[in-house]
């Protein structure tokens, strides 16, 4: 008997539109499954079987630095953070996943979970320059790097101008070089020499010391009419400390009072013996003004460079030294870099100090954009993440991740140095409590990093036991709103060296009455700070004892006052002077002499050996046998 049709609607109609495949499938009975569905089902079965059986534990090599957070360690071991916390809890260490543990604790955990530990030191992250030495066959000759040193106004920049045939001096404040300038000069025989021009004044000693670290030859400029000065001696000491050969350039020989022989003899005191006097130091008499003997000076440089046999490997990632760094308003942080080995190219990724970056553009000393710079070439580099310190080493690395890793490590080291303080002992704890040194707060901004360091160093040297400079903040670049807010909060003046505040900063400064001081010559800056600190201390009070007397008798004078009959023992007693009344060498009161009489007459002064009567202001505690010391008080303007 045929089956009765199901009551209700047709199933096919209910389930939507009828397709060709469905119509065919319906005829053939059940709908066939697709290949993808079969594959998924098979995978599911496989997974189910695997889970039911025990899985083999994967053993890993876990890299553990000096300190690591629990979560990071769990990630490296591919374990759950909660499991690590649980096992640390069993060891008696209640910690959370975000807490940092040391290497030894991490080792216990790694071995407990059955993995292998690989200990690494945090400093392994840093670039190891000591081990990276170029093979002798890769080295090729390079240009010498010459630093010009000497006393202020002895003509270092003028000499460099004469050699370059260009003018640097005109753009300088008070004829003083404020920043290290780096220039490359082509000689007639097509060889090149790189010159570093360093500032000549004492405050920039640190910069000059750094200049001596990257240099091959030092030219010591001494004026023939002025001989050897303080900074000349400093330059000699730096050169000796750096172990760099020296050439003496005796400048200004065109002047009528020039005496080059005197200069040579004075150099003997500092163990510099020139060739004329049987030594091995070359000396050249030059005149920057008249361009005399410049060719001889260049010959001396070439001769010295040949002896040194300067070589570097240009076919490797670049490494160089930051000579100067600044924050440019339009172009961001800039660094003048002297490439020491390798070739620096546009697009290179680098680390310099705790800053990473990518070379966006390079500009040479003539202001032209260049694509690459080899050894001994000075270039200005754009594309830094921040302003580095002058003297930092720039190293090209393989990728951005490596650059960030190195920069982060170096920054953490700097932060740790800044935040860790010396261990407190009882002595220095009480010493710091007892010290009553006045602090003179300042905010210092300059156009380049080298100037910032030099200014801060010079200001710290001004400090005395009574008052010391406290630099709240220092940095390269224009004066910003945050600088002004910081200065107004602490009542500090802002010193701008070759920089000015932006409009917003100026407006906030005027509103909060912040003092702005602008300078372009460092002497004026240090002089002002010195005077301001002296003013902060107030005038010096100097007491001069004029006379001493002994109280013989005390008389009543008027209703309340008492008069004292004195015998003047030494010196003079005058009316109106300050006086101290002492009893058995203990000061009873400080007062002034309001009235002075001899017999019945008022007198102006009484000399030693005579008797007199006095009225003392504001005191009645006088007894026979007391002593009176009379003194003058003088206020002098304080100098540091």
């Amino acid at each position: 008997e045929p089956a009765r049709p199901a009551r209700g609607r047709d199933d096919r109609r209910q389930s939507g539109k009828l397709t060709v495949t469905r119509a065919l499938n319906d005829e053939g009975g059940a709908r066939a499954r697709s290949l993808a569905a079969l594959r998924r089902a098979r995978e599911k079965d496989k997974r189910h079987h695997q889970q039911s059986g025990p899985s083999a534990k994967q053993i890993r090599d876990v890299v553990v630095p000096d300190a690591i957070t629990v979560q990071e360690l769990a990630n490296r071991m591919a374990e759950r953070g909660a499991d690590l916390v649980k096992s640390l809890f069993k060891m008696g260490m209640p910690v959370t996943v975000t807490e940092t543990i040391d290497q030894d604790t991490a080792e216990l955990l790694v071995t407990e979970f059955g993995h292998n530990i690989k200990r690494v030191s945090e400093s392994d992250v840093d670039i190891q320059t000591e081990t990276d030495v170029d093979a002798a066959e890769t080295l090729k000759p390079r240009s010498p790097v010459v630093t010009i040193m000497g006393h202020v106004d002895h003509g270092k920049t003028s000499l460099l101008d004469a050699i370059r045939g260009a003018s640097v001096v005109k753009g300088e404040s008070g004829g003083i070089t404020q920043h290290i300038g780096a220039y490359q000069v082509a000689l007639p025989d097509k060889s090149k020499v790189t010159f570093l021009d360093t500032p000549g004044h004492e405050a920039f000693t640190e910069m000059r010391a750094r200049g001596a670290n990257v240099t091959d030859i030092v030219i010591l400029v001494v004026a023939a009419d002025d001989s050897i000065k303080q900074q000349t001696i400093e330059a000699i000491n730096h050169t000796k400390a750096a172990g760099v050969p020296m050439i003496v350039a005796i400048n200004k020989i065109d002047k009528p009072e020039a005496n080059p022989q005197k200069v040579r003899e004075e150099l003997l005191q500092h163990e510099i013996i020139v060739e004329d006097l049987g030594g091995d130091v070359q000396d050249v008499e030059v005149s920057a003004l008249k361009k005399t003997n410049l060719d001889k000076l260049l010959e001396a440089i070439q001769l010295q460079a040949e002896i040194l046999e300067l070589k570097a490997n240009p076919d490797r990632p670049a490494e160089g030294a930051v000579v100067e760094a600044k924050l440019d308003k339009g172009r961001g942080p800039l660094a003048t870099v002297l490439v020491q080995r390798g070739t620096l190219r546009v697009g290179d990724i680098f680390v310099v100090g705790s800053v990473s970056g990518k070379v966006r553009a390079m500009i040479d000393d003539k202001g032209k954009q260049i694509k690459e710079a080899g050894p001994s070439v000075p270039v200005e580099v754009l594309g830094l993440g921040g302003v580095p310190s002058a003297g930092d080493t720039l190293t090209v690395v393989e990728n951005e991740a490596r650059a960030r890793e190195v920069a982060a490590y170096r920054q953490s080291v700097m932060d740790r140095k800044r935040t860790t303080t010396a261990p407190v002992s009882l002595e220095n704890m009480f010493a710091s409590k007892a010290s009553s040194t006045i602090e003179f707060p300042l905010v210092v901004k300059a156009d380049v990093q080298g100037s910032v360091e030099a200014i801060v160093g010079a200001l710290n040297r001004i400090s005395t036991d009574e008052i010391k400079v406290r630099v709240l903040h220092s940095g390269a670049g224009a004066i910003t709103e945050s600088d002004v807010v910081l200065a107004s909060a602490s009542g500090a003046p802002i010193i701008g060296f070759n920089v000015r505040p932006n409009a917003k900063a100026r407006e906030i400064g005027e509103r909060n009455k912040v003092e702005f001081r602008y300078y372009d010559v460092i002497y004026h800056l240090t002089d002002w700070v010195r005077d301001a600190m002296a003013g902060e201390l107030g005038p010096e009070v100097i007491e001069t004892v004029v006379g001493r007397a002994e109280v013989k008798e005390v008389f009543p004078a008027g209703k309340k006052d008492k008069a004292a009959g004195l015998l003047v023992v030494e010196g003079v007693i005058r009316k109106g002077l300050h006086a101290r009344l002492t009893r058995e060498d203990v000061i009873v009161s400080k007062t002034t002499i309001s009235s002075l009489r001899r017999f019945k007459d008022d007198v102006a002064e009484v000399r030693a050996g005579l008797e007199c009567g006095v009225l003392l202001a504001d005191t009645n505690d006088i007894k026979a046998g007391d002593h009176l010391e009379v003194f003058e008080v003088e206020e002098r303007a304080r100098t540091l």
Side-chain angles (χ1 to χ4, degrees), residues 242-254:
V244 177
M246 180 190 291
I247 298 169
V248 178
I250 302 172
N251 194 15
K252 305 190 184 181
I253 55 158
D254 54 294

Side-chain angles (χ1 to χ4, degrees), residues 92-200:
M93 279 182 70
V95 294
T96 61
V97 284
T98 53
E99 273 182 57
T100 305
I101 53 173
D102 60 14
Q103 220 171 24
D104 298 334
T105 314
E107 185 173 9
L108 288 172
L109 281 173
V110 172
T111 47
E112 187 176 322
F113 281 86
H115 298 292
N116 304 327
I117 186 167
K118 275 181 76 178
R119 280 173 176 253
V120 294
S121 170
E122 216 175 87
S123 57
D124 293 350
V125 170
D126 210 347
I127 297 161
Q128 309 295 329
T129 46
E130 296 80 26
T131 53
D132 184 9
V133 180
D134 294 316
E137 60 273 11
T138 61
L139 301 178
K140 293 178 186 168
R142 65 174 177 84
S143 315
V145 178
V146 179
T147 300
I148 301 184
M149 291 190 176
H151 192 75
V152 66
D153 319 330
H154 276 200
K156 298 181 293 300
T157 308
S158 311
L159 184 62
L160 180 60
D161 281 353
I163 294 170
R164 289 180 71 210
S167 182
V168 183
V169 174
K170 286 189 177 62
E172 297 184 340
S173 316
I176 297 171
T177 306
Q178 304 292 357
H179 320 307
I180 296 181
Y183 309 100
Q184 197 165 38
V185 177
L187 303 185
D189 63 351
K190 298 286 183 282
S191 65
K192 290 184 176 179
V193 178
T194 301
F195 285 97
L196 298 182
D197 179 21
T198 67

